[in-house]
Structures are given as C-alpha cells and as structure tokens.
Amino acid sequence: GGGSYNDFNPSILASPVAAQMGGYLTMLNTYDNAFNTMDMTMNLTRAEREAMKMANRYAVANNGNNIMTFSPNQTPEEQRGLWFRPFCSYDKVGLRNGPRVENTSYGSFFGGDSDLVELKHGWSAVFSGYAGYTGSIQNYSGVSIYQNGGSLGMTGVFYKGNFFTGLTANVGASVADASTMYGREDIPMLMAGVANKTGYNWELFNGRFIIQPSMLLSYSFVNTFDRHNAAGVDINSDPLHAIQIAPGLKFIGNLPHGWQPYVGVQMVWNIMDKTKVSANDVSLPETSVDPYFQYGIGVQKRWGEKFTGFLQAMFRNGGRTGISLSAGFRWALGKDVKNPDFNKTSNSIPELPKTKMNLSSVNK
C-alpha cells in the first residue's frame, strides 16, 4: 500500500512500537531515577548543604582518653546510603507516522550512594551505583505487547555552591511478548544510554523558597534484534538513536520540621528518534514521539539524621498524555556523630606538649 501506517497490518508494527514505548521511554525513566539523589540534595538550602560539608571536618583533640568532635547539624544526604524508588505511569502516546498507543510502565530501582567526597576548588561529589526492574504494557489496534527487563548503571554528581551537575551511564535489556492476530512472538531488545543534568538554585527569603532551573540532556541507544515473526515475515530493524532535550523549572519550599513541598514543570523534545524497520524488505513508517511537557507536584520529608523520603505526581500533555507516580526512600548508613559533653572536667581538654624555646634563635 501507501506510506501511512493505516496501509499496514497492525501486527507488523510491533517492533517499532516496542522500541519506542518499552525501550526509549523506559530509558527516560531510568535517567530520572539515576539523578534523584541529586534532586533530593538540591532541595536543601545552601546553608544546609554547607553544613553537610562541614560535618565531615572534625576538630579533634586527643590525649589518649577522649576525642572531641565538633559537628554542625547533620542531614542524611551527607553520608553514604541505600535507596529504593518504585514508579508507575499511564500514557496515551500518539506516535508520529504510527498508531495511538496506550502505554503502562512500572518498575523499581534500588542503589547505593557514597559519602560526600571533598574535591578541590570548592567542589564536592557523590558517586552511585544502581539496578532496576522495568516492565510495560502496550495496546493498540488489537495488538498487545508485554515487556520485562532490567538495567544497571553508575552516576556521579558534583556540587559547588548553588550549582550542580551529574552524569549517568547505564545498560539494559528486555524481552517483549507481542500478541497479534497471527499468534505470539518474542522481541528481544538491548538498550544503553548516557545523560547529563545541570542546574542552579536561586534562593529567596533565606532559603525558605528556591527557584531551580535545570537542563537534562540524554542519548539513548535501543537495538531491536532481527527476527522471523509469527506471520512468517522477516523483520529487520536498525538501532534507534534518540536524543532528549528537557529544560525544566522547579519551585521548592523549605518548611519547618524537614518538610519540602515542590512544584515542577519540564518541556521534552525528542530528536533523531525515528525507528527504521523493514518487513520482507518493505520499509515501515518511521515512528517517533512528538514533543510533550510535564508538570506536577511533590513533597519531600527528612526524619532525623538517617531517613529521607518523597512522593511525586507528574502529568503529561502533548506527544504523551497521562500521569506518572513515583516515590522514594533513602536510608543513610553512616554512624551518628555525637556532640561532645563539655560539662565533663576530666580529660575534656588535652594538655599541650611542653617544649623548650631557643631564645637565641628568636633574637636572630
């Protein structure tokens, strides 16, 4: 037939739909989770983040019996920790040159962060490793696709004053089980990607209110392997190379008792994200995800020196229409730092070593 997707049997489009929905959009979820520790830290005021850095600098006086430690207030993000973040979303995605797809995504990520590391010239850094399970369901024109997979990645984030930037890289794999009018077929995929998120905090009213512009850039590689489908057709796919550009703006409130509500908005452009798939040497329509914007609300809460959690709801409009829900919990693993007891008189202040002074050298 012609070049429209309506001129093709819906079952033949399972590969490009699986690559866009279960491959590319899953990678975007991975980047959001990889940078979440950085997001949690940058919800704090600059004074709190400086206290985090100073908490690792101890003034120690030791006479063999007592160690005195001077520590400002501590926050969980200064110490190495473990975290867990589940998510789910429901979208209706009108693929360009393709069908309108109902897409449900879900999964969870878990990982660990290093201690806050002091670098030169006022910089500090945190390094993380993570793994995650991802799943999704797509429905369109009588075709259903169930996908299950996982990913592994590493992240490094860097802070200086109110400026922050992070870099993550990850790899993943999944298998899509497509149910069509011809039967069931498996669609294996391999994914990889890198992303950078950079931003700045503008504090007002002594940090009680923060305006945070940011930019997220990412490159995603999704390879759908060639196969022989249930209808006996040879499906050949070129790897999908997609670039995402997503500027955002976040408004954060710092309330008493560790409560931090926030509102965020983000615009997402997808570049070079067209699939190139052929069936028996016939080129299929090149599908892609149109630009969309997302906006939503969230709240973060800190409990003492160990725990931080958040809940978030994001709404999408444009090329994707729907809602995304996510949550997270982080547990700091470092030891509690106890303030010294200055009321004790014995051994509270060590004696200075006695030395002899050479007066002749002083006179010279």
Side-chain angles (χ1 to χ4, degrees), residues 327-359:
F329 181 81
R330 188 181 187 276
W331 177 36
L333 298 178
K335 295 181 179 179
D336 292 332
V337 178
K338 297 181 180 179
N339 292 322
D341 188 353
F342 292 104
N343 294 323
K344 294 182 179 180
T345 57
S346 62
N347 296 328
S348 59
I349 301 177
E351 295 182 0
L352 294 174
K354 296 179 180 180
T355 60
K356 294 182 179 180
M357 181 177 293
N358 189 334
L359 296 179

Side-chain angles (χ1 to χ4, degrees), residues 244-280:
Q244 177 201 38
I245 301 175
L249 192 61
K250 195 174 181 181
F251 304 93
I252 306 163
N254 277 286
L255 305 182
H257 308 296
W259 288 99
Q260 296 169 306
Y262 58 87
V263 176
V265 61
Q266 189 177 47
M267 186 68 194
V268 181
W269 282 277
N270 306 295
I271 303 174
M272 295 173 53
D273 64 331
K274 294 182 178 180
T275 57
K276 294 183 179 180
V277 183
S278 62
N280 282 350

